[in-house]
């Protein structure tokens, strides 16, 4: 399948994503029972993951969003851009950051440091995808991971290549 100028092939099917999202949701319900966590979705790439995951949450919770980007429409991680200043008061609260993908980990680390200053009671990261071989150093807060993948560039289920492919139900990897 061609997206803009690159070729992609299927990597993770929609029903496998659905199953995994349900499992993570169940885990979050158990881990955060009685704590009224704040979920912070990191836009844009995680919008479908956030929406599907949050529907699995049946404990009282709050949901807010922030917007960070590090790709600028290409396929290589670069400088982080901070689009929305984060305003909700998270001091003393249990916070779960929802990301689409942890690649080098720079974006996640940047966000974690920024949030820690605000004094949450606890701070964990939940990412649909993780590229372990690309991760520059371990992120202790990364507790929930949907799928570990190779160092392939992927699109679909919210993730884009030059803003295209976000609407795909499954996840596709670039054919090298
Ligand atoms: P990191 O800072 O290198 O961990 O990159 C994280 C961000 O880069 C993610 O939130 C995505 O927006 C983007 N990203 C990383 N890998 C991919 C990919 O394979 N496809 C699309 N976007 C990606």
């Amino acid at each position: 399948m061609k997206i803009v100028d690159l070729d992609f092939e299927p990597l993770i099917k929609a029903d496998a994503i659905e199953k995994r999202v349900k499992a993570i949701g169940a885990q979050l319900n158990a881990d955060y029972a009685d704590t009224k966590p704040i979920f912070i979705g990191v836009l844009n790439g995680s919008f479908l993951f956030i929406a599907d995951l949050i529907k699995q949450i049946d404990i009282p919770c709050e949901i807010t969003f922030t917007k960070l980007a590090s790709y600028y429409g290409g396929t290589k991680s670069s400088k982080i851009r901070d689009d929305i200043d984060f305003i909700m008061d998270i001091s003393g609260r249990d916070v779960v950051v929802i990301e689409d993908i942890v690649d080098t980990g720079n974006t996640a680390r940047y966000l974690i440091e920024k949030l820690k200053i605000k004094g949450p009671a606890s701070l964990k990261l939940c990412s649909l995808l993780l590229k372990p071989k690309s991760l520059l150093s371990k992120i202790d807060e990364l507790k929930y991971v949907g799928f570990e993948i190779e160092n392939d560039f992927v699109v679909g289920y919210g993730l884009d290549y030059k803003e295209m492919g976000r609407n795909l139900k499954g996840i596709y990897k670039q054919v090298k």
Side-chain angles (χ1 to χ4, degrees), residues 114-156:
K114 224 179 148 186
L115 293 173
K116 266 189 183 166
I117 296 166
K118 293 176 176 282
S122 70
L123 182 59
K124 296 289 175 215
L125 182 62
C126 171
S127 182
L128 176 68
L129 301 172
L130 168 67
K131 296 182 187 173
K133 290 177 186 156
S134 184
L135 194 61
L136 295 174
S137 64
K138 192 173 177 278
I139 298 173
D140 294 329
E141 290 81 0
L142 183 53
K143 185 168 179 191
Y144 308 93
V145 173
F147 301 91
E148 292 194 354
I149 62 170
E150 291 298 314
N151 275 0
D152 296 305
F153 182 73
V154 294
V155 296

Side-chain angles (χ1 to χ4, degrees), residues 42 45 68-71 74 77-78 80 99-108 131 134 149 152-155 159-161:
V42 184
L68 299 173
S70 72
Y71 262 54
S77 226
S78 58
I80 296 166
E99 269 266 28
D100 51 356
I101 185 162
V102 174
D103 183 4
T104 63
N106 286 339
T107 308
K131 296 182 187 173
S134 184
I149 62 170
D152 296 305
F153 182 73
V154 294
V155 296
L159 290 143
D160 75 303
Y161 171 55

Side-chain angles (χ1 to χ4, degrees), residues 22-117:
K22 277 190 180 151
I24 296 171
Q27 209 182 335
L28 289 166
N29 285 327
D31 291 355
Y32 289 90
D34 308 319
T35 66
K36 197 156 71 112
I38 299 177
F39 292 102
I40 302 176
V42 184
L43 298 171
N44 295 333
S46 65
F47 77 101
L48 289 181
F49 180 43
I50 299 165
D52 287 344
L53 182 62
I54 229 66
K55 284 186 276 181
Q56 301 300 321
I57 303 300
D58 51 25
I59 53 168
C61 63
E62 290 173 37
I63 302 142
T64 188
F65 303 92
T66 188
K67 186 168 175 171
L68 299 173
S70 72
Y71 262 54
Y72 303 103
T75 62
K76 290 269 173 334
S77 226
S78 58
K79 237 179 127 207
I80 296 166
R81 181 182 47 180
D82 186 346
D83 276 340
I84 298 176
D85 229 335
F86 183 69
I87 38 156
M88 185 187 266
D89 183 13
I90 61 163
S91 65
R93 300 291 302 274
D94 295 294
V95 174
V96 182
V97 175
I98 305 175
E99 269 266 28
D100 51 356
I101 185 162
V102 174
D103 183 4
T104 63
N106 286 339
T107 308
R109 241 175 262 110
Y110 169 88
L111 191 57
I112 285 165
E113 289 319 308
K114 224 179 148 186
L115 293 173
K116 266 189 183 166
I117 296 166

